[in-house]
């Protein structure tokens, strides 16, 4: 579980091959709750990348992301890909 974590103005750049996000690139299970991203930029990854999580297979609740997300095959403000 990741709980009550805030990130302010994170900068995620580079050449990741698959997943990238401000909080986690690939979240495969569990719960992210009460977390946020305020400002910043995610511009990385060829597959999924998102403001909070690049690829999510867990539960995200009571979270928000206000961040710029650029490029990639799947891109999203909160999660690039959600399973």
């Amino acid at each position: 579980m990741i709980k009550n974590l805030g990130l302010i103005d994170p900068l995620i750049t580079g050449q990741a091959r698959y997943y990238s996000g401000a909080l986690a690139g690939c979240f495969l299970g569990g719960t992210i709750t009460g977390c946020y991203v305020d400002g910043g930029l995610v511009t990385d990854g060829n597959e999924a990348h998102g403001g909070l999580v690049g690829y999510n297979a867990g539960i995200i609740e009571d979270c928000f992301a206000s961040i710029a997300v650029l490029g990639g095959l799947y891109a999203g403000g909160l999660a690039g890909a959600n399973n």
Side-chain angles (χ1 to χ4, degrees):
M1 174 181 278
I2 302 173
K3 185 175 182 179
N4 299 329
L5 178 66
L7 300 173
I8 298 173
D9 291 328
L11 178 59
I12 312 299
T13 63
Q15 297 297 318
R17 182 163 171 92
Y18 294 106
Y19 313 117
S20 61
L23 183 64
C26 186
F27 189 69
L28 294 177
T31 302
I32 299 173
T33 184
C35 295
Y36 68 90
V37 178
D38 188 12
L41 173 67
V42 174
T43 176
D44 196 358
N46 293 322
E47 284 287 330
H49 58 284
L52 191 69
V53 176
Y55 176 86
N56 177 54
I59 296 169
I60 298 175
E61 60 185 18
D62 298 323
C63 297
F64 75 89
S66 177
I67 185 172
V69 180
L70 304 173
L73 183 59
Y74 305 105
L78 192 62
N82 190 52
N83 186 10

